[in-house]
Short mmCIF file of all heavy atoms in Angstrom, two decimals:
data_model
loop_
_atom_site.label_atom_id
_atom_site.label_comp_id
_atom_site.label_asym_id
_atom_site.label_seq_id
_atom_site.Cartn_x
_atom_site.Cartn_y
_atom_site.Cartn_z
N ASP A 131 -34.01 -22.91 -122.98
CA ASP A 131 -34.61 -21.69 -122.42
C ASP A 131 -34.71 -21.72 -120.89
O ASP A 131 -34.38 -20.74 -120.22
CB ASP A 131 -35.99 -21.46 -123.04
CG ASP A 131 -36.52 -20.06 -122.75
OD1 ASP A 131 -35.68 -19.13 -122.71
OD2 ASP A 131 -37.74 -19.91 -122.55
N GLU A 132 -35.13 -22.88 -120.36
CA GLU A 132 -35.26 -22.99 -118.90
C GLU A 132 -33.90 -22.78 -118.23
O GLU A 132 -33.80 -22.15 -117.18
CB GLU A 132 -35.80 -24.37 -118.51
CG GLU A 132 -37.26 -24.59 -118.87
CD GLU A 132 -38.16 -23.55 -118.23
OE1 GLU A 132 -38.03 -23.32 -117.01
OE2 GLU A 132 -38.98 -22.94 -118.96
N ASP A 133 -32.87 -23.37 -118.81
CA ASP A 133 -31.52 -23.23 -118.24
C ASP A 133 -31.05 -21.77 -118.28
O ASP A 133 -30.46 -21.27 -117.33
CB ASP A 133 -30.53 -24.12 -119.00
CG ASP A 133 -30.88 -25.59 -118.87
OD1 ASP A 133 -30.82 -26.10 -117.74
OD2 ASP A 133 -31.25 -26.21 -119.89
N LEU A 134 -31.32 -21.11 -119.40
CA LEU A 134 -30.92 -19.70 -119.52
C LEU A 134 -31.65 -18.86 -118.47
O LEU A 134 -31.04 -18.03 -117.79
CB LEU A 134 -31.24 -19.19 -120.93
CG LEU A 134 -30.43 -19.84 -122.07
CD1 LEU A 134 -31.06 -19.50 -123.43
CD2 LEU A 134 -28.98 -19.38 -122.04
N LYS A 135 -32.95 -19.11 -118.32
CA LYS A 135 -33.73 -18.34 -117.34
C LYS A 135 -33.25 -18.63 -115.93
O LYS A 135 -33.11 -17.73 -115.10
CB LYS A 135 -35.22 -18.67 -117.47
CG LYS A 135 -35.85 -17.98 -118.66
CD LYS A 135 -37.36 -18.23 -118.68
CE LYS A 135 -38.00 -17.55 -119.89
NZ LYS A 135 -39.07 -18.37 -120.48
N PHE A 136 -32.99 -19.90 -115.66
CA PHE A 136 -32.51 -20.28 -114.33
C PHE A 136 -31.17 -19.60 -114.01
O PHE A 136 -30.97 -19.08 -112.92
CB PHE A 136 -32.35 -21.80 -114.24
CG PHE A 136 -31.70 -22.26 -112.98
CD1 PHE A 136 -32.40 -22.30 -111.79
CD2 PHE A 136 -30.36 -22.63 -112.97
CE1 PHE A 136 -31.79 -22.69 -110.61
CE2 PHE A 136 -29.74 -23.03 -111.79
CZ PHE A 136 -30.46 -23.06 -110.61
N LEU A 137 -30.27 -19.58 -114.98
CA LEU A 137 -28.96 -18.96 -114.74
C LEU A 137 -29.09 -17.45 -114.52
O LEU A 137 -28.34 -16.87 -113.74
CB LEU A 137 -28.01 -19.25 -115.90
CG LEU A 137 -27.51 -20.70 -115.98
CD1 LEU A 137 -26.75 -20.94 -117.28
CD2 LEU A 137 -26.62 -21.04 -114.77
N ASN A 138 -30.08 -16.85 -115.15
CA ASN A 138 -30.27 -15.42 -114.92
C ASN A 138 -30.85 -15.15 -113.53
O ASN A 138 -30.42 -14.22 -112.84
CB ASN A 138 -31.14 -14.79 -115.99
CG ASN A 138 -31.00 -13.29 -116.00
OD1 ASN A 138 -29.88 -12.78 -116.10
ND2 ASN A 138 -32.10 -12.57 -115.85
N GLU A 139 -31.78 -16.00 -113.11
CA GLU A 139 -32.31 -15.87 -111.73
C GLU A 139 -31.19 -16.11 -110.73
O GLU A 139 -31.08 -15.42 -109.71
CB GLU A 139 -33.42 -16.89 -111.48
CG GLU A 139 -34.74 -16.52 -112.13
CD GLU A 139 -35.67 -17.72 -112.26
OE1 GLU A 139 -35.49 -18.72 -111.53
OE2 GLU A 139 -36.57 -17.66 -113.13
N ALA A 140 -30.37 -17.11 -110.99
CA ALA A 140 -29.25 -17.42 -110.09
C ALA A 140 -28.35 -16.20 -109.96
O ALA A 140 -27.95 -15.82 -108.86
CB ALA A 140 -28.47 -18.62 -110.61
N LYS A 141 -28.04 -15.58 -111.07
CA LYS A 141 -27.17 -14.40 -111.07
C LYS A 141 -27.74 -13.33 -110.14
O LYS A 141 -27.02 -12.73 -109.34
CB LYS A 141 -27.06 -13.87 -112.49
CG LYS A 141 -26.54 -12.50 -112.62
CD LYS A 141 -27.42 -11.70 -113.57
CE LYS A 141 -27.15 -10.31 -113.47
NZ LYS A 141 -27.50 -9.18 -113.29
N ASN A 142 -29.07 -13.12 -110.21
CA ASN A 142 -29.69 -12.09 -109.37
C ASN A 142 -29.64 -12.45 -107.89
O ASN A 142 -29.49 -11.58 -107.04
CB ASN A 142 -31.14 -11.86 -109.81
CG ASN A 142 -31.20 -11.11 -111.11
OD1 ASN A 142 -30.32 -10.28 -111.40
ND2 ASN A 142 -32.20 -11.40 -111.92
N LYS A 143 -29.78 -13.73 -107.59
CA LYS A 143 -29.74 -14.13 -106.17
C LYS A 143 -28.32 -14.12 -105.63
O LYS A 143 -28.08 -13.71 -104.50
CB LYS A 143 -30.35 -15.52 -106.01
CG LYS A 143 -31.85 -15.54 -106.20
CD LYS A 143 -32.40 -16.93 -105.91
CE LYS A 143 -33.89 -17.00 -106.18
NZ LYS A 143 -34.31 -18.40 -106.36
N LEU A 144 -27.39 -14.59 -106.43
CA LEU A 144 -26.02 -14.75 -105.91
C LEU A 144 -25.32 -13.43 -105.66
O LEU A 144 -24.40 -13.36 -104.85
CB LEU A 144 -25.18 -15.62 -106.87
CG LEU A 144 -25.70 -17.06 -107.05
CD1 LEU A 144 -24.73 -17.87 -107.88
CD2 LEU A 144 -25.91 -17.72 -105.69
N LYS A 145 -25.77 -12.37 -106.35
CA LYS A 145 -25.07 -11.10 -106.12
C LYS A 145 -25.40 -10.52 -104.74
O LYS A 145 -24.76 -9.59 -104.28
CB LYS A 145 -25.34 -10.13 -107.25
CG LYS A 145 -26.73 -9.60 -107.33
CD LYS A 145 -26.76 -8.41 -108.30
CE LYS A 145 -28.08 -7.72 -108.25
NZ LYS A 145 -28.94 -8.00 -109.39
N GLU A 146 -26.40 -11.10 -104.05
CA GLU A 146 -26.78 -10.62 -102.72
C GLU A 146 -25.97 -11.25 -101.58
O GLU A 146 -26.12 -10.85 -100.43
CB GLU A 146 -28.26 -10.96 -102.45
CG GLU A 146 -29.23 -10.50 -103.52
CD GLU A 146 -29.46 -9.02 -103.45
OE1 GLU A 146 -29.35 -8.48 -102.34
OE2 GLU A 146 -29.75 -8.41 -104.50
N ILE A 147 -25.18 -12.25 -101.89
CA ILE A 147 -24.46 -12.94 -100.81
C ILE A 147 -23.47 -11.99 -100.15
O ILE A 147 -22.69 -11.34 -100.83
CB ILE A 147 -23.73 -14.19 -101.36
CG1 ILE A 147 -24.76 -15.22 -101.83
CG2 ILE A 147 -22.81 -14.80 -100.30
CD1 ILE A 147 -24.16 -16.48 -102.41
N PRO A 148 -23.55 -11.87 -98.82
CA PRO A 148 -22.64 -10.95 -98.13
C PRO A 148 -21.18 -11.35 -98.39
O PRO A 148 -20.86 -12.52 -98.42
CB PRO A 148 -22.96 -11.13 -96.64
CG PRO A 148 -24.11 -12.06 -96.55
CD PRO A 148 -24.42 -12.59 -97.90
N THR A 149 -20.36 -10.35 -98.58
CA THR A 149 -18.95 -10.62 -98.84
C THR A 149 -18.18 -10.64 -97.54
O THR A 149 -18.14 -9.66 -96.81
CB THR A 149 -18.37 -9.53 -99.76
OG1 THR A 149 -19.08 -9.58 -100.98
CG2 THR A 149 -16.90 -9.81 -100.04
N LEU A 150 -17.62 -11.77 -97.23
CA LEU A 150 -16.76 -11.87 -96.05
C LEU A 150 -15.32 -11.88 -96.51
O LEU A 150 -15.02 -12.38 -97.59
CB LEU A 150 -17.06 -13.16 -95.29
CG LEU A 150 -18.46 -13.34 -94.75
CD1 LEU A 150 -18.56 -14.61 -93.93
CD2 LEU A 150 -18.86 -12.14 -93.91
N ARG A 151 -14.44 -11.31 -95.70
CA ARG A 151 -13.02 -11.37 -96.06
C ARG A 151 -12.46 -12.71 -95.62
O ARG A 151 -12.95 -13.33 -94.67
CB ARG A 151 -12.25 -10.24 -95.40
CG ARG A 151 -12.71 -8.89 -95.93
CD ARG A 151 -11.87 -7.78 -95.36
NE ARG A 151 -12.60 -6.51 -95.49
CZ ARG A 151 -12.25 -5.39 -94.87
NH1 ARG A 151 -11.19 -5.37 -94.07
NH2 ARG A 151 -12.95 -4.30 -95.04
N ASP A 152 -11.44 -13.12 -96.34
CA ASP A 152 -10.81 -14.39 -96.02
C ASP A 152 -9.79 -14.15 -94.91
O ASP A 152 -8.61 -13.97 -95.15
CB ASP A 152 -10.13 -14.93 -97.28
CG ASP A 152 -9.57 -16.32 -97.05
OD1 ASP A 152 -9.96 -16.96 -96.05
OD2 ASP A 152 -8.74 -16.75 -97.86
N MET A 153 -10.29 -14.07 -93.68
CA MET A 153 -9.42 -13.85 -92.53
C MET A 153 -10.08 -14.49 -91.31
O MET A 153 -11.26 -14.82 -91.36
CB MET A 153 -9.16 -12.35 -92.32
CG MET A 153 -10.40 -11.54 -91.98
SD MET A 153 -10.12 -9.74 -92.07
CE MET A 153 -8.97 -9.49 -90.71
N PRO A 154 -9.30 -14.71 -90.25
CA PRO A 154 -9.89 -15.36 -89.07
C PRO A 154 -11.17 -14.64 -88.63
O PRO A 154 -11.20 -13.41 -88.55
CB PRO A 154 -8.79 -15.24 -88.02
CG PRO A 154 -7.54 -15.21 -88.82
CD PRO A 154 -7.87 -14.44 -90.07
N THR A 155 -12.21 -15.42 -88.38
CA THR A 155 -13.55 -14.86 -88.20
C THR A 155 -14.18 -15.29 -86.88
O THR A 155 -14.20 -16.47 -86.55
CB THR A 155 -14.44 -15.30 -89.38
OG1 THR A 155 -13.87 -14.78 -90.58
CG2 THR A 155 -15.86 -14.80 -89.23
N VAL A 156 -14.68 -14.29 -86.16
CA VAL A 156 -15.36 -14.55 -84.89
C VAL A 156 -16.83 -14.21 -85.07
O VAL A 156 -17.17 -13.14 -85.58
CB VAL A 156 -14.76 -13.68 -83.77
CG1 VAL A 156 -15.60 -13.77 -82.50
CG2 VAL A 156 -13.32 -14.10 -83.50
N VAL A 157 -17.71 -15.12 -84.67
CA VAL A 157 -19.14 -14.84 -84.70
C VAL A 157 -19.59 -14.57 -83.26
O VAL A 157 -19.22 -15.32 -82.34
CB VAL A 157 -19.91 -16.02 -85.33
CG1 VAL A 157 -21.41 -15.87 -85.12
CG2 VAL A 157 -19.59 -16.12 -86.82
#
Side-chain angles (χ1 to χ4, degrees):
D131 193 35
E132 289 302 311
D133 297 296
L134 294 166
K135 283 185 181 142
F136 172 77
L137 288 171
N138 197 55
E139 284 161 21
K141 164 227 166 235
N142 287 328
K143 288 185 184 160
L144 297 187
K145 69 167 189 256
E146 307 285 331
I147 294 179
T149 299
L150 299 185
R151 295 185 200 166
D152 186 16
M153 64 192 293
T155 298
V156 171
V157 169

